[in-house]
């Protein structure tokens, strides 16, 4: 009889671990002296891809921005320029069709920050005006406005009001007071015998405006040195 006993089937090879599985990476690959933290393939994938990786990157960026914000100095104070108005003063005292007034002896805490001349190049066809602005010791704004424009038009425009609220004596001269509540503007105005108007105006108090008004002096034409056009310290 023929032997029909089936031949034994060879054993199938057993499956070994995946060589690239993050959980089975050899500890020899870790830097010396550092503990090895083993995670499952699913956790490793979540940490390095998708929403988990994006969240970690954004968190690192936010921490960096916060660190820069903390160490960077900041200030909410507006920095205004300081100007030298010597050239405008020289032009006005020599070319204006009237005797110009300019501040003399203001303390150094009065900082000039703007100066504009209008009308000098109009050959007398237009009024000549000079604007000179200051930052006051109290941190407010005060400006000298002067012009030979018709006073009934010029003064209300510079004072932001046509309604006087009283008068104030400054060095023996009478100045008319104006106030514009919605613009927080105070003004002192005076029209000279030759028709030139002087207006000191701004957010400064009447007391500070009186200091500026009291410093105004007539400027001689075509002679003598130009007065110092910056604030000077007091003794």
């Amino acid at each position: 009889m023929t032997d029909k006993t089936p031949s034994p089937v060879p054993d199938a090879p057993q499956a070994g671990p995946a060589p690239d599985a993050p959980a089975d990476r050899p500890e020899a690959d870790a830097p010396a002296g550092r503990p090895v933290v083993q995670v499952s393939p699913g956790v490793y994938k979540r940490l390095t891809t998708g929403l988990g990786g994006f969240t970690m990157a954004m968190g690192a960026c936010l921490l960096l921005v916060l660190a820069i914000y903390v160490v960077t100095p900041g200030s909410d104070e507006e920095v205004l320029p300081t100007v030298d108005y010597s050239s405008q003063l020289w032009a006005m005292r020599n070319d204006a069709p009237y005797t110009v007034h300019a501040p003399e002896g203001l303390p150094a805490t009065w900082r000039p920050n703007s100066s504009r001349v209008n009308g000098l190049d109009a050959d007398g066809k237009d009024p000549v005006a000079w604007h000179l602005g200051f930052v006051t010791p109290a941190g407010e704004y005060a400006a000298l406005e002067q012009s030979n424009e018709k006073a009934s038009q010029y003064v209300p425009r510079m004072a932001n009001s046509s309604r006087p609220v009283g008068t104030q004596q400054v060095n023996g001269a009478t100045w008319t007071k104006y106030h514009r509540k919605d613009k927080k503007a105070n003004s002192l105005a005076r029209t000279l015998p030759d028709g030139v108007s002087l207006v000191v105006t701004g957010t400064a108090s009447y007391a500070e405006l009186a200091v500026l008004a009291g410093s105004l002096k007539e400027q001689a034409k075509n002679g003598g040195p130009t007065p110092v056009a910056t604030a000077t310290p007091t003794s």
Side-chain angles (χ1 to χ4, degrees):
M1 283 183 70
T2 306
D3 188 359
K4 296 183 180 180
T5 303
S7 302
V9 179
D11 295 336
Q14 296 182 355
D20 296 329
D24 296 331
R25 288 179 178 173
E27 296 184 7
D29 293 340
R34 295 187 181 179
V36 176
V37 179
Q38 294 187 350
V39 296
S40 67
V43 174
Y44 179 81
K45 184 176 180 179
R46 287 196 301 271
L47 291 176
T48 56
T49 61
L51 183 60
F54 175 77
T55 303
M56 292 179 65
M58 287 300 297
C61 291
L62 291 175
L63 287 175
L64 178 61
V65 171
L66 179 61
I68 295 175
Y69 176 80
V70 170
V71 301
T72 302
S75 174
D76 294 332
E77 296 183 1
E78 183 180 3
V79 179
L80 298 175
T82 298
V83 302
D84 181 355
Y85 57 89
S86 297
S87 59
Q88 289 89 356
L89 174 57
W90 184 91
M92 286 294 295
R93 68 185 296 200
N94 289 287
D95 298 333
Y98 55 85
T99 300
V100 174
H101 286 68
E104 294 183 14
L106 279 177
T109 47
W110 286 74
R111 185 163 58 85
N113 73 332
S114 60
S115 179
R116 295 187 300 273
V117 171
N118 295 305
L120 280 182
D121 55 353
D123 297 326
K125 298 178 182 179
D126 296 325
V128 175
W130 183 25
H131 157 88
L132 179 59
F134 290 88
V135 178
T136 74
E140 299 294 337
Y141 182 71
L144 164 65
E145 311 284 356
Q146 62 184 302
S147 176
N148 60 344
E149 183 181 346
K150 190 175 181 180
S152 59
Q153 299 175 356
Y154 183 74
V155 171
R157 190 170 73 253
M158 294 300 102
N160 291 290
S161 174
S162 59
R163 298 180 179 179
V165 295
T167 60
Q168 184 165 336
Q169 295 294 312
V170 180
N171 292 347
T174 301
W175 294 70
T176 303
K177 298 173 66 174
Y178 295 86
H179 177 67
R180 180 74 178 266
K181 183 177 181 180
D182 60 332
K183 292 190 175 183
K184 298 180 180 180
N186 299 317
S187 302
L188 297 175
R190 179 186 176 205
T191 299
L192 304 177
D194 60 358
V196 174
S197 296
L198 304 176
V199 182
V200 289
T201 183
T203 60
S205 65
Y206 287 113
E208 285 193 312
L209 292 179
V211 173
L212 178 56
S215 73
L216 300 180
K217 301 293 188 295
E218 292 185 355
Q219 304 298 303
K221 286 182 173 291
N222 303 317
T226 300
V228 176
T230 53
T232 55
T234 57
S235 58

